[in-house]
Amino acid sequence: IGKTALAHGWVNTLTREDVYQRRHFIQLDTEHIRELLDSDKLFMQYQAAYATLPSCTLFVDDFGAAVFNSASRLSTLERFYNALLKSPDIQIIFSLRPYEFAWLEREYPGFLQSFEVINLKNQSLIEQLHILEKALIRLNQEFRIIVPRASLKKIAEYVERFPTLGQAPRSAI
């Protein structure tokens, strides 16, 4: 599974527990980061909106892509998220690729001190094939797509060889 699916699964499991029934899950992509960095007015509006967040888990998908190699963006976002990091009722999850995390760790280790770091391993080829086979059942029903297992294996291998195709398993699907 990918990092987004993992976050959703974690939240679904967590919210089944009585103590977390009133907890909200908010997912944002990097578009909100571009918006708030492009305009002081939007920055202030986002800050005001974030100040009223209920008890929640805030998941910012692909945070690393938004800040990678940009000290000014990271500095602005660190100020922006700092108030939320101090709130005991709000947990923040940022997703980063390994090279983005390595950059943050090397250049801004202080920023990472506010977080617990969880490293997700890539799925093995066999795990990827299982995921693709399950996805193929759904795709076959919906679009009548038939792909032999040998082709699925080649697809998974190409995704590993050419990371610019995107993150597995989504890119393979």
Side-chain angles (χ1 to χ4, degrees), residues 77-94:
L77 291 171
E78 186 174 19
R79 281 186 295 117
F80 180 78
Y81 284 109
N82 202 24
L84 291 177
L85 289 169
K86 292 177 182 172
S87 171
D89 293 330
I90 297 174
Q91 283 77 43
I92 301 175
I93 301 171
F94 290 138

Side-chain angles (χ1 to χ4, degrees), residues 68-69 99 101-109 112:
F68 182 65
N69 279 338
Y99 67 91
F101 177 78
W103 174 77
L104 266 176
E105 190 174 41
R106 185 178 61 251
E107 301 294 327
Y108 302 95
L112 295 175

Side-chain angles (χ1 to χ4, degrees), residues 37-88:
L37 292 174
D38 286 345
S39 161
D40 288 339
K41 182 180 176 186
L42 281 175
F43 185 90
M44 300 300 267
Q45 288 174 344
Y46 270 101
Q47 266 189 326
Y50 274 37
T52 63
L53 283 177
S55 176
C56 70
T57 298
L58 178 65
F59 176 55
V60 182
D61 205 3
D62 293 326
F63 176 80
V67 299
F68 182 65
N69 279 338
S70 178
S72 63
R73 270 189 244 140
L74 182 61
S75 175
T76 302
L77 291 171
E78 186 174 19
R79 281 186 295 117
F80 180 78
Y81 284 109
N82 202 24
L84 291 177
L85 289 169
K86 292 177 182 172
S87 171

Side-chain angles (χ1 to χ4, degrees), residues 17-171:
E17 297 179 26
D18 291 338
V19 72
Y20 295 111
Q21 285 294 313
R22 301 179 60 82
R23 183 162 206 79
H24 300 278
F25 178 71
I26 301 169
Q27 179 179 342
L28 298 170
D29 60 16
T30 56
E31 185 61 32
H32 88 283
I33 292 174
R34 282 191 278 285
E35 286 178 352
L36 70 89
L37 292 174
D38 286 345
S39 161
D40 288 339
K41 182 180 176 186
L42 281 175
F43 185 90
M44 300 300 267
Q45 288 174 344
Y46 270 101
Q47 266 189 326
Y50 274 37
T52 63
L53 283 177
S55 176
C56 70
T57 298
L58 178 65
F59 176 55
V60 182
D61 205 3
D62 293 326
F63 176 80
V67 299
F68 182 65
N69 279 338
S70 178
S72 63
R73 270 189 244 140
L74 182 61
S75 175
T76 302
L77 291 171
E78 186 174 19
R79 281 186 295 117
F80 180 78
Y81 284 109
N82 202 24
L84 291 177
L85 289 169
K86 292 177 182 172
S87 171
D89 293 330
I90 297 174
Q91 283 77 43
I92 301 175
I93 301 171
F94 290 138
S95 71
L96 300 97
R97 291 188 172 92
Y99 67 91
E100 296 161 346
F101 177 78
W103 174 77
L104 266 176
E105 190 174 41
R106 185 178 61 251
E107 301 294 327
Y108 302 95
F111 178 73
L112 295 175
Q113 289 178 355
S114 301
F115 298 93
E116 178 181 352
V117 177
I118 300 172
N119 291 309
L120 304 177
K121 72 172 188 69
N122 288 333
Q123 294 91 8
S124 69
L125 186 59
I126 292 169
E127 291 170 319
Q128 289 183 44
L129 287 174
H130 289 300
I131 293 167
L132 290 176
E133 286 170 342
K134 286 181 181 179
L136 192 58
I137 292 168
R138 182 180 42 84
L139 293 172
N140 188 10
Q141 291 170 346
E142 198 172 328
F143 302 107
R144 299 184 194 270
I145 295 173
I146 299 171
V147 181
R149 184 170 171 80
S151 296
L152 286 180
K153 186 175 179 185
K154 284 288 184 199
I155 290 168
E157 288 171 351
Y158 278 126
V159 169
E160 273 189 22
R161 270 184 56 203
F162 302 105
T164 56
L165 293 173
Q167 189 71 27
R170 184 186 308 165
S171 59

